[in-house]
Amino acid sequence: MNQPNPPSTRPYLIRAIYEWSLDNGYTPQILVSTTHANVSVPAEHIKDDQIVLNIHPQSVKNLELGNEYIMCSARFSGRPFELIVPIVSVLAVYARENGQGIVFQDESSDPSSPP
C-alpha cells in the first residue's frame, strides 16, 4: 500500500553513504545549508551560508543520524559544540577522500517540477 506522502529518502541515503564511507576507510562529510531554521553550528566556520562537517566517529561523539535531525558533539578550535542539523538542510553527503556520495535536490523547490 502506498502512503499519500511517503517520508523523504534523504535520511536513509545519508545513513547509507555514511556507512559505505566507514566500510571503505573514508571520512564521511556532510555539506549543510545554514540558512534553514534550527541549524546549530559554529557561526565562525560558516562560509557562503554553508558548512562542511566531518561526521567520522573519531571526530564526533554521540552521533545520531535520525530521520529529522543529525545531532552530535564536536570540537571546533578546541571548544566543544553541540551540532544540530535538520535533515532538510543537508545538501550533500560524501567521502572526503574521493568526493563520492550524493548531492540532494532542494526539497523546498516546486514539487510539480520533475526531478
Side-chain angles (χ1 to χ4, degrees), residues 17 28 40 79 90:
I17 297 300
S40 179
R79 294 189 341 249
V90 178

Side-chain angles (χ1 to χ4, degrees), residues 19-90:
E19 289 184 26
W20 172 85
S21 295
L22 294 181
D23 287 351
N24 288 285
Y26 299 137
T27 306
Q29 294 188 314
I30 55 174
L31 174 63
V32 177
S33 169
T34 58
T35 61
H36 286 269
N38 302 321
V39 172
S40 179
V41 297
E44 64 270 21
H45 295 279
I46 295 171
K47 183 177 180 183
D48 298 326
D49 293 328
Q50 297 179 344
I51 188 169
V52 173
L53 299 172
N54 172 353
I55 57 171
H56 193 281
Q58 292 179 340
S59 300
V60 298
K61 292 182 181 177
N62 304 319
L63 178 65
E64 293 180 36
L65 297 173
N67 287 343
E68 299 294 325
Y69 289 91
I70 296 173
M71 295 185 284
C72 62
S73 300
R75 296 185 79 76
F76 292 85
S77 303
R79 294 189 341 249
F81 197 94
E82 295 296 320
L83 299 170
I84 301 173
V85 176
I87 291 295
V88 296
S89 69
V90 178

Side-chain angles (χ1 to χ4, degrees), residues 1-7:
M1 177 191 297
N2 290 338
Q3 297 177 357
N5 290 316

